[in-house]
Amino acid sequence: MSDIFDSAQARLIFAEAFLRDRVRGLIKDTEICLTDTINPATSKKTCAYFPAFLTTIALLDFAAGLYSGTFKSSPWQAANGYRARFLPKYDEAALCLIYVGFRHKVAHLTHPYIVFNTATKEKELGHLMKRRFVAWTFDEGRGEQAILIDRYLQKRQITSHQTPRPVYYDTRVTVYLRTLRDDFIESILGSWGYLEAIRSDPSLQCKFDECMKQYFPAYEDSMSP
């Protein structure tokens, strides 16, 4: 018996409302980010690609935490476990590339490296791909797949950004942000997604309860400041 919900039905009612609210928030925030605005520095239209990307990846982190039963686990390990079950069409290497290559850098440096050397993430990527130097494109639209990786036979020089020395790449990853977002949403609310899974999976129900305890901590009286 759950010590946070009165019944299994109460859990499911809450879970659906809670998850749909998170999804509505994601759609609102990403649509604001991906609406064209004028860049005052260039007078050209642009979008807030990185905030949209980070908000979308955060939904994956959130869903992966629910699936693993804690928000305190290793982020990529949890995300990859969630991918295997609820995002089976996503190649592990492709998702890992944008997760460890761009999520961390946007979160901590506000901007990814102009070229990402996959050898710097040998632990996560070493068994998935040979060393690559990866340039990137974030697109506000939709593509046939959310993550497209192009590998080149010869190195190419970065010309789209100012660099203090010649910088080269041999791979380009393109991330279609609305497709990424929509796929993540489908993995939660779709007919085969997480919400449907917890209706009949006792282990996922227990993990959901544990995460709710973390997300909504019980207040405890304390004399400590």
Side-chain angles (χ1 to χ4, degrees):
M1 177 63 67
S2 171
D3 56 0
I4 190 170
F5 295 106
D6 294 333
S7 66
Q9 183 65 17
R11 178 194 296 110
L12 291 176
I13 291 173
F14 176 83
E16 181 165 5
F18 181 62
L19 292 171
R20 290 189 182 281
D21 186 59
R22 297 285 81 76
V23 165
R24 282 192 294 269
L26 171 69
I27 294 172
K28 171 184 68 67
D29 291 345
T30 53
E31 285 303 316
I32 291 172
C33 291
L34 298 177
T35 298
D36 284 343
T37 188
I38 299 298
N39 182 344
T42 63
S43 299
K44 296 180 180 180
K45 290 183 179 180
T46 189
C47 298
Y49 299 104
F50 298 142
F53 171 69
L54 198 58
T55 302
T56 301
I57 285 291
L59 182 71
L60 174 62
D61 281 335
F62 180 71
L66 294 177
Y67 179 61
S68 66
T70 179
F71 295 125
K72 302 175 183 179
S73 62
S74 170
W76 168 243
Q77 183 179 3
N80 194 35
Y82 182 87
R83 175 205 62 82
R85 177 161 180 182
F86 297 110
L87 291 162
K89 69 179 182 180
Y90 274 68
D91 177 69
E92 180 182 355
L95 188 58
C96 185
L97 177 62
I98 69 166
Y99 193 93
V100 303
F102 304 124
R103 169 192 176 275
H104 296 348
K105 297 301 180 287
V106 174
H108 298 292
L109 301 178
T110 76
H111 198 284
Y113 291 159
I114 299 304
V115 169
F116 169 55
N117 177 3
T118 61
T120 63
K121 291 295 182 179
E122 179 70 19
K123 178 181 177 181
E124 296 88 349
L125 283 167
H127 66 292
L128 297 174
M129 62 173 60
K130 295 181 180 179
R131 178 176 179 174
R132 309 295 296 186
F133 289 83
V134 184
W136 44 264
T137 299
F138 287 88
D139 191 294
E140 70 272 25
R142 292 181 171 86
E144 291 186 8
Q145 55 193 55
I147 307 169
L148 179 65
I149 298 177
D150 291 307
R151 296 175 174 85
Y152 308 116
L153 295 178
Q154 296 182 331
K155 68 180 182 181
R156 301 184 178 191
Q157 185 174 347
I158 289 290
T159 58
S160 56
H161 294 80
Q162 290 184 338
T163 60
R165 62 180 178 180
V167 176
Y168 299 94
Y169 63 98
D170 54 26
T171 303
R172 178 172 291 277
V173 59
T174 302
V175 181
Y176 293 96
L177 291 167
R178 283 191 170 92
T179 301
L180 189 73
R181 177 197 67 188
D182 293 348
D183 286 348
F184 287 178
I185 290 173
E186 185 71 10
S187 77
I188 296 173
L189 301 182
S191 59
W192 43 264
Y194 172 79
L195 179 59
E196 189 63 28
I198 65 171
R199 296 183 189 278
S200 57
D201 189 327
S203 67
L204 288 184
Q205 293 165 7
C206 291
K207 291 177 180 179
F208 182 82
D209 290 3
E210 289 303 312
C211 285
M212 291 303 97
K213 293 176 187 177
Q214 294 176 21
Y215 201 86
F216 300 101
Y219 180 80
E220 297 179 4
D221 290 327
S222 174
M223 297 299 293
S224 303

